[in-house]
Amino acid sequence: MIEKATTVLHNFNAGPSVLPKEVFEEASRSIINFNNSGLSILEIGHRTPLFQPVMDEARALVRELMRLDNNHEVLFLHGGATTQFMQVPMNLLNENEMAAYTETGVWANKAVKEAKLFGHVEIAGSSKENNYTSIPKNISVTPTAAYLHITTNETIGGTQWHNLPYNCGVPLVADMSSDILSRQLDFNKFDLIYAGAQKNMGAAGVNLVVVNKNILGKVNKVIPTILDYRNHIKEGSMLNTPAVFAVYVVMLTLRWLKNKGGVVAIEKENNAKAKLFYETLDSLSVFKAPVEKEDRSKMNAVFTIDNPTLETEFLTICKENGMVGIKGHRSVGGFRVSMYNALTIESVKVLTDLMCHFAQQHG
Ligand SMILES: Cc1ncc(COP(=O)(O)O)c(C=O)c1O
């Protein structure tokens, strides 16, 4: 068995990101010999009795973990969440209609840009004026809007919706790429959820879409076959060759999550990690935290140090202590610590101890 390198002990990457050790082990065994078939997972046909149960189990686990009702369909599609920025309005918005979007940062704005290619967009709430350091509170949605789109967690800005607009009066659509399955939500109240797998759910290359089938089929345009959700539903998410290995890694990660006690259990762990991290951050004056406290993300914490020399020094000692992924996104700078499902509280403890030690020396 080839061992994973152990020099990096704590992976705070924003995505692709840390996955459970058990998943790496099982996936690497399956690359050599999948389910004792003598074949690699990379060389089996997607319509074979070897792979079909993988797709079935992955879809069933999503249904179970999210407690979905029978109106909601589970799909694994290609193209990442970025494709959904376009596929959502293509399937749900007519040219002469309007969709409501909230403007909460980099990712929400990319979704707005694509929606404008298909119809009108109303900004139902925005945090642009405070540089996206909060989540808009008083959103206003025109009742005739085709849907309301939110980004439940802004991976770069470090904000997260904690009070979800379930009662917005129109179909609710959410980009959950960076907080999917990290906390209990009333998933059935969403009409469409999408998420790239590469943060909380598995390897890059596949995209989860959960869609209420009753909202489909209402647009009066021709949708290319591969982009029409209804075709994927009809074909059991096997309209064409799925991302076989990526779906397999998602299935393993969801099994791991279920064995841990599901979303209820992981939410407790995520709350404990976020509490430890933010309490430490707030207690150390050398670090600054730009995001409004009530809107802080439990997945991606962003913070800064005013002094560029100290910033570099902090990054260096993080690296020396086996930590990766602490540097903030290139568009905003500073630091970002991603605390996805598979990151252990021990990793957060090591980081917060290091922050305390650093602050003692430089506070
Ligand atoms: C919230 C959010 N939406 C969308 C995306 C884009 O995902 P992808 O790279 O899979 O297209 C990302 C990527 O990090 C993200 O964080």
Side-chain angles (χ1 to χ4, degrees), residues 303-321:
F303 59 107
T304 57
I305 299 179
D306 282 344
N307 176 330
T309 314
L310 288 189
E311 187 175 307
T312 310
E313 199 177 313
F314 182 65
L315 285 175
T316 305
I317 65 159
C318 283
K319 198 168 167 209
E320 283 168 4
N321 284 275

Side-chain angles (χ1 to χ4, degrees), residues 79-83 85 107 151 153 155 175 177-178 196 198-199:
T82 303
T83 298
F85 295 159
W107 295 111
T151 307
N153 187 76
T155 325
D175 174 0
S177 293
S178 49
Q198 65 270 23
K199 299 167 201 297

Side-chain angles (χ1 to χ4, degrees), residues 213-284:
K213 56 185 177 226
N214 299 321
I215 64 164
L216 301 176
K218 298 195 173 152
V219 287
N220 52 24
K221 66 178 112 157
V222 177
I223 304 173
T225 309
I226 193 72
L227 294 174
D228 190 331
Y229 295 122
R230 290 171 302 174
N231 295 331
H232 290 280
I233 293 171
K234 225 182 292 160
E235 298 299 328
S237 204
M238 291 260 227
L239 177 63
N240 66 330
T241 313
V244 170
F245 186 65
V247 172
Y248 175 64
V249 177
V250 167
M251 186 210 75
L252 294 178
T253 309
L254 297 180
R255 263 190 200 166
W256 166 86
L257 181 57
K258 183 181 167 179
N259 289 338
K260 267 185 103 63
V263 181
V264 176
I266 207 74
E267 182 174 25
K268 270 196 205 130
E269 287 188 20
N270 288 333
N271 284 343
K273 288 184 284 183
K275 185 167 186 286
L276 172 60
F277 180 79
Y278 282 117
E279 280 182 0
T280 307
L281 183 68
D282 289 338
S283 72
L284 305 171

